[in-house]
Amino acid sequence: ALERTIAASTEFQCVLDLCWEICQEHSILVFCASRQQSVDTARNIARGLAAKKAAKAAEEGRNPGLASTQQIRRSRDIEDMLKNVAANNEPVLSESLQHGVAFHHAGLLAEERTLIENAFRSKVVTVLCCTSTLAAGVNLPARRVIFKTPYIGRDFLTKSRYSQMCGRAGRAGLDTFGESYMVLWKKGDIERGKTLMTSAVENTKSVMFMERAIFLKSLVESVAAGACKTVKGAQDWGRSLLANHIDASLPDGGNCLQ
């Protein structure tokens, strides 16, 4: 891990500058601590990018209001997207999408998430502000991953989650390389963040036998799916659980069913 200092007055300004550096050519994921933070960050990045584009156009003597063919095509794609977005999400997305920015979290409808994911893949959206749920099961690689904060909710990131999230940067066969940045703004987070990036991944643990309700729920689901049809089948299922193979101190999964 390398340390980089960015001359910025606020935590958000750091994130905006990191987006501005490559957003014209490459895709970026910005991980946020909460759903609301992903929405607010998307709105603010869109406004910040708009201001930077206008300033650059003025510096070069161009008319910032003159739309390119690419921008016109993007506007049409956005209009089609917004027809399928819920009314409560439409105002923010309508503003942010014009600048290639969107948000993604578990509170969106499945159809909305699919629309945004497809827009990111097709480069209609180049900056996607999201929560940690995007790192699990959604194939959305990016050139740059930015952690706006080292927290998920109120909890500091674990190494396993950090590795999973920054692993979205630079997928083999899809990009030449990738990079991730973690913004450490608060004094108390700086050393913790540095330690996180250099530490080993935590050992895998199973919670199957730690709470009876979790164990019984999994058993009922296995019975309903047809994986367990007899008492012996249920005992074999219990003995095949990961918990039996990573922690010898836990009770035998088969005996738990007796």
Side-chain angles (χ1 to χ4, degrees):
L2 299 176
E3 185 174 339
R4 176 181 173 186
T5 301
I6 297 176
S9 58
T10 64
E11 179 183 55
F12 169 73
Q13 191 63 47
C14 284
V15 176
L16 179 61
D17 289 347
L18 288 170
C19 290
W20 175 247
E21 286 178 351
I22 68 166
C23 68
Q24 304 298 315
E25 301 291 336
H26 302 289
S27 53
I28 304 164
L29 290 175
V30 180
F31 282 107
C32 302
S34 66
R35 296 179 184 182
Q36 189 57 51
Q37 189 180 91
S38 70
V39 176
D40 295 339
T41 302
R43 180 195 293 112
N44 291 333
I45 287 177
R47 292 174 179 175
L49 293 179
K52 285 182 174 291
K53 290 174 184 176
K56 183 179 179 182
E59 183 180 322
E60 297 174 350
R62 294 184 290 105
N63 181 356
L66 196 60
S68 65
T69 303
Q70 182 182 6
Q71 289 171 324
I72 293 172
R73 188 181 302 116
R74 171 183 281 176
S75 294
R76 290 172 180 168
D77 291 338
I78 291 168
E79 286 177 8
D80 291 338
M81 282 183 61
L82 292 175
K83 293 176 183 176
N84 300 291
V85 170
N88 61 314
N89 293 319
E90 195 274 337
V92 177
L93 283 174
S94 179
E95 176 184 359
S96 64
L97 284 169
Q98 297 297 333
H99 304 286
V101 184
F103 58 85
H104 184 291
H105 57 67
L108 295 171
L109 298 175
E111 295 84 353
E112 293 173 328
R113 291 198 300 272
T114 298
L115 282 169
I116 291 169
E117 290 161 15
N118 290 338
F120 188 74
R121 293 188 182 100
S122 64
K123 301 296 180 67
V124 171
V125 169
T126 55
V127 180
L128 185 57
C129 301
C130 53
T131 56
S132 60
T133 53
L134 183 137
V138 182
N139 185 24
L140 288 180
R143 169 62 68 89
R144 178 174 287 182
V145 168
I146 302 170
F147 293 82
K148 184 179 185 294
T149 170
Y151 290 87
I152 296 178
R154 296 182 178 180
D155 299 325
F156 203 85
L157 276 169
T158 61
K159 184 55 181 276
S160 57
R161 274 192 161 181
Y162 167 74
S163 298
Q164 183 184 43
M165 292 158 76
C166 71
R168 295 294 171 187
R171 292 300 181 85
L174 295 171
D175 220 333
T176 53
F177 75 96
E179 56 190 1
S180 69
Y181 286 86
M182 179 180 290
V183 177
L184 299 172
W185 190 259
K186 297 178 181 178
K187 187 175 181 180
D189 292 338
I190 295 175
E191 288 305 317
R192 291 182 73 185
K194 290 179 179 178
T195 300
L196 171 72
M197 286 182 272
T198 57
S199 63
V201 176
E202 305 87 3
N203 291 330
T204 301
K205 296 181 180 180
S206 173
V207 298
M208 186 62 76
F209 299 137
M210 294 182 182
E211 294 186 31
R212 182 176 175 81
I214 294 176
F215 179 78
L216 292 177
K217 180 175 182 291
S218 297
L219 175 60
V220 170
E221 289 174 346
S222 297
V223 171
C228 302
K229 297 182 179 180
T230 64
V231 173
K232 183 179 182 306
Q235 290 175 334
D236 290 341
W237 168 84
R239 294 189 178 98
S240 72
L241 296 172
L242 175 66
N244 288 313
H245 301 278
I246 63 174
D247 192 342
S249 67
L250 293 173
D252 179 87
N255 294 335
C256 283
L257 296 167
Q258 295 177 352

